[in-house]
Amino acid sequence: VIDYSKDWPRVENGQGRLLIENSKIEVDSTSAAIDGYKLQKASVSIPDFMSKAPVVQIHGETTVKTRQALEFIRHSPIRGYTNGFTDKTIASGEGTLELQLLIPLTDPSVKVEGKYHFTDNDIDFGEAIPLDKSVNGDLQFTESTIRVKDMVAQIYGGPALISAQTEPDGTIKGKIKGKIDADTWHKIEPYSWLQSFDGAAEWNAEGWIKNGKFDMQVSSNMQGITSNIPAPFNKQARYV
C-alpha cells in the first residue's frame, strides 16, 4: 500500500520490484490498484530521498470503463479542477487513463499531469449539453487546467469537432463546430425537438464553466434545414 497524499486515492495491492540505489528509491509494479481499479503499468520513485525537499514521482496507466474514470475524478482533487462539471455525467464505453503525480514530501502542493483517451464513447453531460455519441479523442489535465483539442463526436446526428481549455481566470471555455443531420437524429432520438425538422445544417456552440455554473450559446443559420413548424417558424431548406 502506498498512501502518498490524504487527498488522493492510495495505491493498493502492489506487487513488483524495489530498487534502492544510492539516494534513489524506485518501485516498478507488475500489478497494482488505485481507487479499486487495476493499473496495467505503475511506478513509484524518489529520485533523491536525501534531498532537503524529496519528491515522490508516481506514474500509472490503465484501461477502464469511462464510468470508472469518472468515479476516480469524483474521488480525487481532479473534481475541484473541473468545478465538479462531470458529477452528473453518464458515459458508456472505454478509455485509457495515464496519470503522473509529483508529490513533494515537505510541501502540500501536488503537481499533476494526466490524459484520458476516449475510445468510441457515448457521453451525456446533462445540463443543456447535447448527447455526444461515438466520442474519440484526448482529455488532458494538470493540477489546475484541462484541455481538449480536436476531439471528434457525433452530435445531433452529424459530425462535430470539440475543443476546450482552462482560461487564466479559471473559467473552462469550450467550443463545438458541428453539422446537424436531422434525418439521422430522428432515428437516434425519435422524440426529440428535431422531429419537426429535416435536412442538414452547420452549427457552432460556445460554453463556459465557472464556479460550478454552466452557460452555453448555440448558433446556426439553419440553411439546409426544412422546418415543419407552423407559420411563422416554417421554412424551406434554401432559406436561412
Side-chain angles (χ1 to χ4, degrees):
V1 176
I2 302 174
D3 195 357
Y4 49 89
S5 174
K6 66 181 180 65
D7 295 324
W8 287 87
R10 63 185 186 177
V11 179
E12 300 177 303
N13 301 323
Q15 298 181 13
R17 178 177 61 90
L18 171 64
L19 172 66
I20 300 177
E21 183 178 359
N22 298 322
S23 62
K24 178 180 180 180
I25 299 177
E26 184 173 278
V27 178
D28 286 324
S29 179
T30 55
S31 66
I34 185 168
D35 203 28
Y37 308 126
K38 185 177 180 180
L39 298 173
Q40 275 92 32
K41 298 178 182 178
S43 64
V44 180
S45 67
I46 303 177
D48 185 3
F49 66 83
M50 298 299 291
S51 168
K52 293 183 178 179
V55 176
V56 178
Q57 299 179 352
I58 299 177
H59 180 268
E61 296 181 24
T62 184
T63 298
V64 295
K65 300 289 187 182
T66 298
R67 60 178 175 78
Q68 294 175 315
L70 293 172
E71 282 296 320
F72 176 80
I73 289 174
R74 294 185 189 110
H75 295 160
S76 74
I78 298 173
R79 181 186 181 277
Y81 312 152
T82 61
N83 291 311
F85 176 62
T86 61
D87 284 358
K88 298 180 181 179
T89 300
I90 301 172
S92 62
E94 293 186 345
T96 302
L97 175 67
E98 297 181 25
L99 185 65
Q100 180 169 293
L101 306 175
L102 299 179
I103 306 167
L105 296 180
T106 57
D107 189 322
S109 63
V110 176
K111 297 293 183 182
V112 180
E113 185 173 332
K115 179 176 72 173
Y116 187 79
H117 178 76
F118 295 91
T119 304
D120 202 24
N121 280 225
D122 290 349
I123 304 175
D124 183 355
F125 289 101
E127 302 287 345
I129 304 176
L131 176 67
D132 296 6
K133 299 184 72 66
S134 302
V135 177
N136 288 276
D138 294 335
L139 167 65
Q140 300 173 321
F141 56 88
T142 69
E143 71 280 356
S144 58
T145 66
I146 67 167
R147 176 180 171 85
V148 175
K149 184 178 180 181
D150 297 337
M151 181 179 288
V152 296
Q154 293 286 315
I155 303 177
Y156 293 140
L161 192 64
I162 304 169
S163 62
Q165 65 180 27
T166 303
E167 299 293 309
D169 66 354
T171 300
I172 300 174
K173 184 176 182 180
K175 294 182 179 181
I176 305 175
K177 182 177 179 63
K179 187 172 185 179
I180 297 172
D181 187 333
D183 299 328
T184 299
W185 192 246
H186 294 169
K187 303 173 184 177
I188 299 172
E189 293 287 343
Y191 302 106
S192 79
W193 61 272
L194 280 175
Q195 287 300 312
S196 299
F197 299 90
D198 297 297
E202 294 183 351
W203 63 281
N204 295 279
E206 289 192 1
W208 300 266
I209 306 168
K210 188 171 184 178
N211 298 325
K213 296 182 179 180
F214 172 76
D215 190 20
M216 187 174 189
Q217 296 180 354
V218 181
S219 62
S220 174
N221 63 15
M222 300 294 281
Q223 187 169 20
I225 292 287
T226 298
S227 171
N228 301 310
I229 299 176
F233 300 106
N234 60 324
K235 67 177 287 290
Q236 297 180 11
R238 66 178 182 272
Y239 298 124
V240 298

